[in-house]
């Protein structure tokens, strides 16, 4: 593990001496800080729990500590560790990663020695809201352990921007009283990183006129859609929904935040506008990210899909939309003979022929991506430097970073085969019917190339001169020694031979598109990430995506293992830029040059600048909040005065009842609720515990919550309700609940951030239909007259209802609840009858829930029932009509029943 940098040591010491919440700027190495704490506590003498980490992150931390020579590595608590051995597992000490569900149950059942815990480290602390499992764990920990520490880490300052006093609320849930802010503009960070600045080359690439026109058109349409959205929903007149924010990454979350609570009230127009905003944002991304063929393919698919066209909110009919389609097509092909475009005066069949001819006469343009040109120039410059790099200790490795897998795969193919071949292959694959046009185009290009122009794409004269010169120098070289840049500049025939030779140097790419290529057997270079795309082995040149890897630390691992001297940022990403600064600072004296490729005046540049500005504003807001924040002394919960640790939800204004013994305090029974283990994924157990009710976690087969010996509750969220109504699971659960409990309850719990409405307004069906949720619920209540349905707008409301339902009722018994299984023969004491025959009896004509009990009291078995006369049945059932129905059902033959039916007609 690399030694901590100056500012990191300062943060570490501050947090070590006093518990608190550290908020760092993105990419400034919050993981390095957590690693240092993990290393400190990796010893049997201490027991430290780590909350809120994903399996991939845990793997990374364990790997780092292992490579650092730590003996007592962190361990994971999983379901595989048996309950009875869990206590021993914890008492072995060290650092433990555990899921919140397991920890909650272990704290409640005392399987974890709470008094022996040294402390808790909380990662991604901005997620700790009051009702989440991690907050529940911290509360249970503080109730049982007043000495241990709580240290929290996060690098997401923007998350504290939403809501009122968000940072204060998070600190309250974390039981920490100190806030440490470390933005990038912090004087210690700024001055230290200034001393170790990497060499940065910013290349502002100019977009082609067609790209600029398309970008302008998309922005116009985006603006029009936003205006429409605000016109239909005046409540959305907020600054968050501006055009600048619409092109930023988190815009989808922002708009969902505003529209989710009233989604059921929105009209079809608003919903389609939201969908269109999503499509337009994707188009903007494709424009700068990928090539002209991919962009046109996406655009044409939008127009071709009749469904999307029909549901479209109208942006396809704007002038800007026409301009966008015209320019997108112009980047890929142009129609050869303009005369054919003139409208024929003949019949419709003639017009169709003209259209067909048009398609055949397409002349491919296949505009190359301007960033590709820039990348080629950069790689040429690096190559020239590597030739004269003896004083730096040999040629330097090259790392190219693009946004995602698709961009990386495209760059790799471009570098190996050249823009022409790549775009032609892509065109033929995407618009396959025009293969002839593609072939004609290739032949034309070959002819022009043989005249001495080695450059695949048109461009400035200076670049042409450079390339021609480089190809002249290389004529004397052997074929194997050809370099990256000259490969791009070869004719088609030479290129084919070249790729065969180059096969021995290729790394295997990880995406499906690369499976066609032969993967060399003798290439054994292994990298810690499986996402990279290799180009050359010597010097090692690889492309790696910035996002979309299964392992969040894949790029960090590659950076430290490859140790590149040159990093080319094909796409800018704030976190990785900062990571490079830290990487350079941790290797003083070693050169690092970063090439920054960005489209000047594009939405890509604007997106990057907006992300920077948002983070800066978030930190400024946090600094102001910290200055005016009031932190009570008892915040850390180290004594009994912290009110958050009290488990009583009754307000202080509730007066004592003076009628009972002059207002003396009555000693109440401690309330208990039995909760199924699987329910600890939800926030309800945490809220029930907060109300002063004890929770007993057990594995239940029937029901989720047992409130009293009689009341059993099955909790369903909306998605779960719809799913279990569709697959019939809810029916089986209701059968079991009604059989074993007097008062079965179905709890339908809504998300507090979503509408308290099962179906959208205005879509209530007048008829009962098999697909409708409300119809299925109606059928459920008809089938199970005993079943009660509770509708709760949020988990907070549910906890309150549970408390009220428990009042003046005996406490449930865990042993009894666990003994009840769907097929068990143990019945409630009040039930003297076998469930099988009882169900059979209820299905018979003339028998219903009201007279069933009387029938079972008088008749011992089904066999005895068959022997009874009609008069005896009428006497027992108390209704002659019901008795006739039942008697006929038992005694009439099929033929008699048919004859009786006919005579009735």
């Amino acid at each position: 593990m690399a030694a901590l940098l100056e500012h990191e040591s300062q943060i570490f010491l501050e947090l070590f001496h006093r518990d608190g919440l550290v908020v760092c700027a993105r990419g400034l190495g919050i993981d390095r800080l957590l690693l240092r704490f993990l290393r400190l506590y990796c010893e049997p003498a201490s027991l430290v729990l780590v909350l809120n980490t994903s399996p991939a992150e845990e793997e990374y931390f364990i790997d780092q500590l292992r490579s650092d020579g730590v003996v007592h590595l962190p361990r994971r608590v999983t379901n595989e560790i048996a309950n009875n051995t869990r206590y021993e597992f914890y008492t072995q000490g060290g650092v433990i990663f555990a899921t919140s569900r397991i920890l909650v149950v272990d704290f409640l059942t005392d399987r974890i020695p709470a008094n022996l815990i040294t402390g808790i480290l909380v990662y991604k602390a901005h997620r700790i809201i009051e009702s989440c499992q991690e907050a529940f764990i911290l509360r249970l920990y503080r109730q049982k352990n007043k000495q241990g520490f709580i240290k929290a880490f996060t690098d997401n300052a923007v998350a504290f921007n939403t809501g009122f006093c968000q940072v204060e609320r998070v600190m309250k849930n974390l039981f920490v009283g100190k806030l440490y802010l470390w933005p990038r503009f912090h004087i210690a960070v700024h001055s230290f990183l200034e001393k170790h600045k990497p060499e940065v080359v910013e290349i502002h690439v100019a977009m082609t006129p067609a790209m600029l026109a398309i970008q302008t058109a998309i922005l116009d349409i985006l603006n029009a859609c936003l205006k429409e959205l605000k016109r239909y929903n005046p409540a959305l007149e907020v600054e968050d929904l501006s055009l600048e924010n619409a092109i930023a990454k988190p815009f989808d979350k922002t708009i969902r935040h505003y529209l989710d609570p009233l989604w059921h009230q929105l009209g079809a127009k608003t919903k389609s506008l939201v969908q269109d905003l999503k499509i337009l944002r994707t188009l903007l991304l494709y424009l700068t990210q990928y090539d002209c063929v991919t962009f046109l393919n996406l655009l044409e698919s939008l127009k071709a899909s009749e469904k999307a066209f029909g549901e479209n909110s109208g942006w396809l009919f704007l002038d800007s939309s026409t301009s966008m389609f015209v320019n997108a097509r112009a980047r890929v092909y142009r129609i050869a003979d303009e005369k054919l475009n003139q409208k024929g005066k003949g019949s419709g069949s003639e017009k169709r022929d003209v259209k067909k001819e048009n398609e055949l006469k397409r002349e491919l343009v296949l505009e190359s991506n301007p960033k590709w040109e820039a990348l080629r120039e950069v790689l040429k410059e690096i190559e020239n430097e590597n030739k004269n790099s003896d004083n730096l200790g040999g040629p330097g490795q090259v790392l190219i970073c693009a946004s995602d897998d698709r961009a990386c795969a495209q760059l790799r193919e471009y570098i190996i085969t050249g823009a022409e071949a790549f775009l032609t292959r892509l065109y033929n694959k995407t618009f396959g019917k025009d293969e002839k046009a593609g072939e004609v185009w290739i032949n034309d290009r070959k002819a022009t190339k043989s005249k001495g122009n080695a450059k695949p794409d048109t461009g400035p004269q200076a670049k042409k001169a450079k390339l021609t010169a480089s190809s002249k120098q290389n004529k004397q070289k052997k074929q194997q020694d050809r370099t990256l840049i000259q490969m791009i500049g070869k004719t088609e025939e030479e290129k084919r031979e070249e790729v065969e030779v180059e096969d021995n140097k290729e790394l295997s790419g990880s995406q499906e598109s690369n499976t066609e290529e032969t993967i060399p057997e003798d290439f054994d270079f292994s990298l810690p990430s499986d996402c990279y795309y290799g180009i050359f082995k010597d010097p090692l040149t690889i492309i790696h995506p910035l996002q979309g890897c299964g392992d969040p630390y894949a790029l960090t691992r590659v950076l430290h293992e490859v140790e590149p001297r040159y990093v080319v940022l094909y796409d800018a990403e704030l976190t990785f830029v900062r990571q490079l600064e830290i990487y350079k600072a941790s290797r003083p004296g070693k050169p690092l040059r970063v090439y920054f490729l960005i489209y000047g005046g594009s939405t890509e540049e604007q997106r990057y600048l907006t992300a920077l500005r948002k983070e800066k504003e978030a930190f400024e807001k946090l600094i102001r909040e910290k200055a005016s924040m009031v932190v009570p002394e008892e915040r850390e919960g180290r004594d009994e005065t912290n009110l958050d640790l009290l488990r009583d939800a009754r307000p202080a204004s509730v007066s004592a009842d003076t009628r009972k013994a002059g207002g003396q305090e009555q000693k109440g029974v401690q309330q208990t609720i039995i909760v199924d283990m699987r329910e600890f994924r939800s926030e309800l157990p945490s809220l029930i515990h907060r109300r002063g009710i004890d929770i007993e976690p057990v594995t239940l087969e029937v029901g989720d919550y047992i409130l009293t010996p009689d009341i059993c509750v099955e909790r369903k969220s909306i998605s779960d309700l719809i799913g279990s109504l569709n697959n019939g699971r809810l029916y089986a659960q209701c059968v079991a609940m009604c059989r074993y409990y007097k008062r079965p309850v179905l709890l339908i719990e809504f998300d507090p951030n979503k509408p308290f409405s099962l179906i959208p307004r205005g879509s209530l069906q007048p008829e009962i239909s098999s697909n409708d949720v409300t119809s299925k619920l109606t059928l459920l209540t008809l089938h199970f007259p005993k079943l009660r349905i509770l509708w709760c707008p949020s988990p907070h409301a549910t906890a309150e209802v549970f408390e009220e339902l428990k009042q003046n009722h005996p406490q449930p018994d865990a042993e009894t609840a666990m003994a009840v299984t769907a097929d068990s023969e143990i019945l409630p004491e009040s039930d003297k009858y076998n469930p099988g025959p009882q169900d059979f009896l209820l299905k018979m004509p003339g028998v219903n829930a009201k007279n069933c009990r009387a029938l079972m009291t008088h008749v011992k078995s089904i066999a005895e029932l068959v022997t009874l006369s009609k008069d005896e049945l009428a006497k027992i059932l108390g209704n002659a009509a019901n008795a006739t129905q039942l008697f006929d059902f038992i005694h009439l033959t099929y033929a008699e029943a048919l004859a009786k039916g006919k005579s009735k007609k």
Side-chain angles (χ1 to χ4, degrees), residues 86-101:
R86 202 96 44 87
Y87 190 88
E88 287 171 36
F89 184 88
Y90 288 124
T91 48
Q92 286 165 18
V95 172
I96 288 175
F97 293 115
T99 62
S100 50
R101 194 163 71 95

Side-chain angles (χ1 to χ4, degrees), residues 283-331:
L283 282 171
L284 263 184
L285 207 63
Y286 270 53
L287 178 66
T288 52
Q289 211 97 41
Y290 309 121
D291 58 278
C292 55
V293 178
T294 310
F295 180 77
L296 182 66
N297 186 33
L298 174 68
L299 206 53
E300 294 287 12
S301 71
L302 289 179
K303 204 161 188 176
S305 159
E306 282 179 35
K307 186 168 180 282
F309 197 78
E311 289 176 1
N312 177 279
S313 64
W315 66 267
L316 275 171
F317 308 113
L318 295 174
D319 292 345
S320 303
S321 169
T322 314
S323 138
M324 176 166 67
F325 275 95
V326 168
N327 282 299
R329 286 173 186 146
R331 289 176 70 202

Side-chain angles (χ1 to χ4, degrees), residues 378-646:
V378 166
L379 290 175
K380 184 167 174 51
E381 186 182 310
I382 291 171
E383 195 181 290
N384 290 336
E385 282 199 18
N386 274 339
K387 284 175 190 165
N388 319 313
S389 61
D390 297 334
N391 58 336
L392 290 170
Q397 323 270 44
V398 183
L399 174 64
I400 303 167
C401 291
S403 60
D404 55 17
D405 266 350
R406 193 175 191 167
C408 291
Q410 287 196 354
L411 285 182
R412 179 173 187 267
E413 195 170 342
Y414 161 71
I415 290 168
I416 290 171
T417 64
E420 240 176 70
F422 167 49
L423 287 173
T424 311
R425 185 191 69 75
L426 204 58
Y427 182 83
N428 290 338
K429 187 180 166 188
T430 315
F431 305 100
K433 59 186 176 181
D434 303 315
E435 277 176 30
K436 288 178 186 172
E439 284 165 24
V440 171
W441 183 70
I442 290 170
N443 294 332
D444 288 350
R445 297 300 250 181
K446 279 186 193 171
T448 53
K449 276 190 181 175
S450 58
K451 289 172 191 169
N453 177 14
K455 189 181 179 216
D457 306 292
T458 55
Q461 290 300 319
K463 284 185 184 173
K464 272 189 189 173
K466 271 187 197 172
L467 268 157
T468 319
S470 70
S471 58
K472 277 177 190 168
Q473 292 162 10
N474 271 286
K475 278 178 185 169
Q476 296 103 28
K477 283 195 172 190
K478 288 182 184 174
Q479 199 174 21
Q480 283 90 336
D481 291 338
R482 281 185 188 155
T483 55
L484 189 63
I485 302 306
Q486 284 104 27
M487 267 183 73
I488 298 173
K490 296 294 154 204
T491 60
E492 285 297 314
E493 293 84 12
E494 284 178 311
K495 221 177 264 170
R496 280 193 205 106
E497 298 161 11
E498 190 61 47
V499 172
E500 283 167 22
V501 173
E502 207 52 49
D503 262 351
N504 303 324
K505 291 186 181 179
E506 267 181 37
L507 271 158
S508 61
S510 72
Q511 210 182 12
E512 292 158 21
S513 59
N514 295 331
T515 50
E516 305 155 15
E517 298 164 10
T518 52
I519 295 169
E521 289 172 21
D522 60 337
F523 199 94
D524 58 350
F525 192 83
S526 62
L527 277 179
S529 160
D530 57 351
C531 302
Y532 67 88
Y533 295 76
I535 304 165
F536 288 133
K537 190 175 179 183
D538 195 22
L540 182 69
T541 304
I542 61 169
I543 307 177
H544 198 287
L546 290 162
Q547 282 129 7
C549 302
D551 176 7
Y553 293 101
L555 196 49
T556 314
R557 290 175 193 256
V558 169
L559 191 63
H560 288 281
E561 188 145 328
V562 174
E563 295 202 336
R565 188 181 303 156
Y566 305 101
V567 177
V568 184
L569 287 175
Y570 185 81
D571 290 300
E573 210 243 340
L574 183 61
T575 311
F576 188 60
V577 172
R578 300 254 177 82
Q579 220 171 317
L580 285 173
E581 288 188 296
I582 297 290
Y583 166 72
K584 170 72 178 84
S586 60
R587 299 161 69 252
K590 293 190 181 176
L592 172 69
R593 182 182 298 165
V594 180
Y595 290 93
F596 218 101
L597 301 184
I598 200 152
Y599 283 118
S602 69
T603 50
E604 179 194 31
E605 184 181 31
Q606 186 57 52
R607 205 176 294 128
Y608 180 74
L609 294 173
T610 304
L612 261 177
R613 182 179 61 78
K614 281 271 169 70
E615 191 186 73
K616 185 169 176 286
E617 283 175 2
F619 268 113
E620 284 169 354
K621 185 183 173 189
L622 283 174
I623 290 165
R624 285 196 301 274
E625 275 192 31
K626 184 181 176 181
S628 59
M629 194 186 289
V630 178
V631 180
E633 278 183 11
E634 67 275 4
R635 166 63 58 80
E636 293 189 5
R638 293 185 187 275
D639 49 31
E640 297 301 329
T641 52
N642 188 327
L643 297 175
D644 289 323
L645 294 175
L646 294 180

Side-chain angles (χ1 to χ4, degrees), residues 53-70:
T53 47
S54 66
E57 287 162 347
E58 289 163 15
E59 196 62 52
Y60 171 74
F61 290 137
I62 292 170
D63 282 354
Q64 291 293 314
L65 291 166
R66 188 183 290 121
S67 63
D68 205 32
V70 173

Side-chain angles (χ1 to χ4, degrees), residues 793-810:
S794 71
H796 290 268
T798 309
E800 199 174 330
V801 170
F802 278 10
E803 191 177 18
E804 286 174 14
L805 285 173
K806 280 187 66 61
Q807 278 174 9
N808 306 323
H809 284 318

Side-chain angles (χ1 to χ4, degrees), residues 11-300:
I11 305 172
F12 175 79
L13 289 170
E14 280 183 358
L15 191 57
F16 179 73
H17 290 303
R18 170 109 193 254
D19 291 1
L21 165 64
V22 171
V23 184
C24 259
R26 276 196 184 284
L28 275 192
I30 199 82
D31 48 328
R32 288 161 59 94
L33 190 61
L34 181 61
L35 256 172
R36 182 51 55 137
F37 275 103
L38 294 181
R39 187 184 175 189
L40 181 67
Y41 295 114
C42 273
E43 53 184 23
S46 55
L47 171 58
V48 173
L49 305 176
V50 185
L51 300 183
N52 238 355
T53 47
S54 66
E57 287 162 347
E58 289 163 15
E59 196 62 52
Y60 171 74
F61 290 137
I62 292 170
D63 282 354
Q64 291 293 314
L65 291 166
R66 188 183 290 121
S67 63
D68 205 32
V70 173
V71 181
H72 204 269
L73 287 171
R75 292 166 303 146
R76 289 175 174 163
V77 179
T78 58
N79 293 336
E80 291 160 19
I81 297 164
N83 291 348
N84 49 359
T85 60
R86 202 96 44 87
Y87 190 88
E88 287 171 36
F89 184 88
Y90 288 124
T91 48
Q92 286 165 18
V95 172
I96 288 175
F97 293 115
T99 62
S100 50
R101 194 163 71 95
I102 289 176
L103 277 181
V104 166
V105 174
D106 286 355
F107 266 112
L108 288 170
T109 51
D110 286 327
R111 276 193 213 119
I112 188 163
N115 56 324
L116 300 179
I117 297 175
T118 316
I120 295 184
L121 299 171
V122 187
Y123 199 46
K124 293 185 284 231
H126 57 276
R127 294 185 183 170
I128 310 295
I129 56 166
E130 186 193 0
S131 53
C132 74
Q133 294 296 328
E134 286 76 19
F136 188 18
I137 292 165
L138 292 168
R139 200 166 72 241
L140 290 169
Y141 163 68
R142 262 294 170 251
Q143 280 166 0
K144 298 178 179 186
N145 182 330
K146 305 288 183 192
Q147 272 69 50
F149 65 75
I150 296 173
K151 302 185 192 302
F153 310 82
T154 181
D155 62 353
N156 191 345
V158 182
F160 294 111
N161 244 351
T162 54
F164 178 69
C165 289
Q166 182 72 6
V167 71
E168 214 168 323
R169 297 219 303 264
V170 168
M171 286 170 68
K172 188 177 169 187
N173 298 329
L174 287 166
F175 295 98
V176 295
K178 202 94 176 93
L179 177 63
Y180 302 103
L181 299 175
W182 286 86
R184 171 65 179 80
F185 56 81
H186 190 292
I187 189 71
V189 180
H190 182 71
S191 60
F192 176 71
L193 292 179
E194 279 298 305
K195 290 181 209 162
H196 302 278
K197 271 168 71 172
E199 185 187 344
V200 180
V201 181
E202 272 195 42
I203 302 171
H204 285 266
V205 184
M207 293 169 88
T208 62
M211 284 173 80
L212 269 173
I214 293 169
Q215 180 179 285
T216 311
I218 296 176
L219 288 175
D220 283 349
I221 301 166
L222 254 177
N223 209 7
C225 284
L226 278 172
K227 277 182 182 167
E228 278 286 281
L229 191 64
K230 289 177 182 178
R231 191 165 70 82
Y232 280 97
N233 305 281
L236 291 182
E237 275 296 344
V238 283
E239 57 187 29
D240 286 357
L241 302 183
S242 64
L243 188 58
E244 185 193 352
N245 289 333
I247 59 177
K249 276 181 187 165
F251 184 69
D252 287 336
K253 278 185 187 171
T254 311
I255 203 153
R256 208 178 303 137
H257 170 73
Y258 285 110
L259 292 180
D260 260 356
L262 38 120
W263 189 253
H264 66 303
Q265 296 172 1
L266 300 177
K269 183 81 174 170
T270 305
K271 289 180 180 177
S272 75
L273 278 168
V274 172
Q275 188 59 33
D276 290 342
L277 285 173
K278 200 173 182 182
I279 291 168
L280 290 165
R281 282 160 45 77
T282 309
L283 282 171
L284 263 184
L285 207 63
Y286 270 53
L287 178 66
T288 52
Q289 211 97 41
Y290 309 121
D291 58 278
C292 55
V293 178
T294 310
F295 180 77
L296 182 66
N297 186 33
L298 174 68
L299 206 53
E300 294 287 12

Side-chain angles (χ1 to χ4, degrees), residues 648-821:
D648 192 1
R650 280 181 306 176
S653 56
V654 175
S655 56
D657 188 353
T658 53
R659 281 184 163 186
K660 292 180 182 172
Q664 288 177 20
E665 212 169 292
Q666 302 291 310
K667 197 175 180 184
V669 180
Q670 177 55 46
Q671 302 278 355
T672 310
I673 290 181
I674 295 164
V675 182
D676 183 35
M677 289 283 197
R678 289 163 292 235
E679 276 300 299
F680 283 93
R681 288 191 189 94
S682 76
E683 52 195 61
L684 184 54
S686 159
L687 298 169
I688 293 172
H689 186 268
R690 189 77 184 262
R691 290 192 153 264
I693 301 171
D694 279 353
I695 288 177
E696 217 168 319
V698 295
T699 305
L700 297 175
E701 269 201 46
V702 177
D704 291 330
Y705 297 85
I706 311 296
L707 306 188
T708 71
D710 293 343
I711 302 175
C712 169
V713 180
E714 178 68 39
R715 188 188 73 90
K716 295 282 177 201
S717 61
I718 299 302
S719 55
D720 194 15
L721 174 75
I722 294 165
S724 50
L725 277 171
N726 288 342
N727 62 22
R729 198 173 80 239
L730 185 58
Y731 180 84
Q733 288 170 331
C734 289
V735 167
M737 284 201 300
C738 292
R739 178 169 295 164
Y740 298 112
Y741 291 95
K742 276 186 184 172
R743 291 188 188 150
V745 176
L746 171 65
L747 163 68
I748 300 172
E749 193 176 80
F750 288 77
D751 183 340
N753 300 320
K754 299 276 174 72
F756 185 35
S757 161
L758 192 59
I759 50 171
R761 185 175 62 180
S763 63
L764 192 61
Q765 302 288 334
E767 297 293 321
I768 283 187
S769 74
S770 59
N771 301 327
D772 195 32
V773 181
T774 46
S775 301
K776 286 178 181 172
L777 276 176
T778 310
L779 289 171
L780 194 74
T781 48
L782 287 170
H783 267 279
F784 302 103
K786 272 181 19 178
L787 185 71
R788 297 285 172 265
I789 297 182
L790 276 182
W791 302 82
C792 288
S794 71
H796 290 268
T798 309
E800 199 174 330
V801 170
F802 278 10
E803 191 177 18
E804 286 174 14
L805 285 173
K806 280 187 66 61
Q807 278 174 9
N808 306 323
H809 284 318
Q811 303 311 310
D813 177 49
E815 294 296 321
T816 316
M818 284 169 73
V820 173
T821 57

